[in-house]
Amino acid sequence: MTNSVLLKVERLNHHVQDGHTTLTILQDISFHVGRGEAVAIVGASGSGKSTLLAMLAGLDVPSQGNIVFDGENLTRLNEDQRAGLRAKQVGFVFQSFQLLEHLTALENVVLATELTTMPNRRARCVEMLDRVGLGRRLNHTPKTLSGGEQQRVALARAFVRSPSVVFADEPTGSLDSQTGEMVIELMFDLQREHGTTLVLVTHDEKLAQRCARQLVLNSGVLLPEVCANAG
């Protein structure tokens, strides 16, 4: 059971202009996510999943509606304020890893802590990379790491600050099934260890079913929720 609501979405709408036509990307969406929950956003390609994830992370703002993150209404914050909130409370895991190619695994993780007051930052980053099984790969750059290893670096980067929430966009999309299973297990282990809320977008049915709740989007409309047994 969660103790309180971390994310609250109220009557969210998003429209974009395509020439003289207005396209509705998200329509009248409302839901909440509790602290420590794992929630999957699922739906067909083009259903608005990644747009919704970007809104929740404050990377974009909706046309109408409110997104309240830990008591802060993201729609009332400017870009710098939203960036500051992300630096303190948000971790990200992407399908394409988004590691800086010229930095080592350790440097990529340390970079994520630079805007924090975390004590012993470098030592904490070393510990986190060791936790994800890369203690002997600290000084390797991404091009010398496998896809699974790169995603483990990304997991270390996302969780090293013990953020309030980690947003994951197709975290296993670039991995083979066996490697993907390993990354899934590690991601949920880290989520439990850090008490972090996890919100992910995925086409992977097995991954979605590991979450306690599924938010199903159909052409920008939120369908009734599907509850699953978290693994």
Side-chain angles (χ1 to χ4, degrees):
M1 294 292 291
T2 55
N3 295 321
S4 61
V5 173
L6 179 69
L7 276 166
K8 188 174 184 180
V9 179
E10 303 171 318
R11 302 187 70 86
L12 189 72
N13 290 272
H14 191 58
H15 315 287
V16 297
Q17 288 295 129
D18 183 14
H20 297 292
T21 303
T22 300
L23 301 177
T24 298
I25 308 300
L26 298 170
Q27 183 175 341
D28 199 29
I29 291 176
S30 298
F31 62 92
H32 66 272
V33 178
R35 296 180 188 276
E37 274 198 293
V39 176
I41 302 172
V42 299
S45 296
S47 60
K49 303 186 301 299
S50 292
T51 298
L52 177 57
L53 196 72
M55 301 279 179
L56 297 178
L59 296 170
D60 200 357
V61 292
S63 302
Q64 294 97 29
N66 295 306
I67 302 171
V68 181
F69 181 103
D70 199 19
E72 291 274 8
N73 193 331
L74 296 184
T75 60
R76 297 176 185 170
L77 302 181
N78 62 36
E79 186 173 346
D80 287 342
Q81 290 170 325
R82 296 196 307 273
L85 185 148
R86 286 194 299 273
K88 294 177 181 178
Q89 298 199 60
V90 177
F92 291 97
V93 181
F94 301 97
Q95 177 177 346
S96 55
F97 319 132
Q98 297 291 335
L99 302 177
L100 294 180
E101 293 292 329
H102 64 286
L103 299 182
T104 65
L106 178 57
E107 289 167 342
N108 267 282
V109 179
V110 170
L111 185 64
T113 70
E114 284 195 345
L115 297 179
T116 72
T117 57
M118 177 190 296
N120 304 313
R121 291 190 299 121
R122 186 179 178 88
R124 291 274 296 276
C125 293
V126 170
E127 289 174 6
M128 180 57 73
L129 282 165
D130 188 57
R131 170 65 185 85
V132 300
L134 294 175
R136 297 184 178 182
R137 308 284 274 171
L138 302 179
N139 297 316
H140 287 67
T141 57
K143 67 180 180 181
T144 66
L145 300 174
S146 68
E149 288 173 329
Q150 290 185 64
Q151 197 61 301
R152 282 188 277 157
V153 174
L155 288 175
R157 178 184 60 188
F159 283 95
V160 68
R161 293 176 289 115
S162 295
S164 299
V165 62
V166 166
F167 294 109
D169 194 353
E170 298 287 2
T172 60
S174 296
L175 306 175
D176 62 70
S177 58
Q178 183 175 357
T179 304
E181 287 284 348
M182 179 189 67
V183 166
I184 289 170
E185 290 296 330
L186 182 57
M187 182 170 62
F188 280 98
D189 285 347
L190 292 171
Q191 185 233 347
R192 286 189 291 268
E193 290 168 17
H194 291 263
T196 300
T197 300
L198 177 64
V199 181
L200 59 89
V201 163
T202 185
H203 285 98
D204 185 335
E205 186 175 336
K206 288 184 179 179
L207 175 54
Q209 289 176 349
R210 288 291 301 269
C211 296
R213 297 164 56 205
Q214 296 178 35
L215 303 175
V216 183
L217 286 178
N218 183 12
S219 299
V221 176
L222 183 64
L223 301 182
E225 286 190 30
V226 177
C227 293
N229 293 320

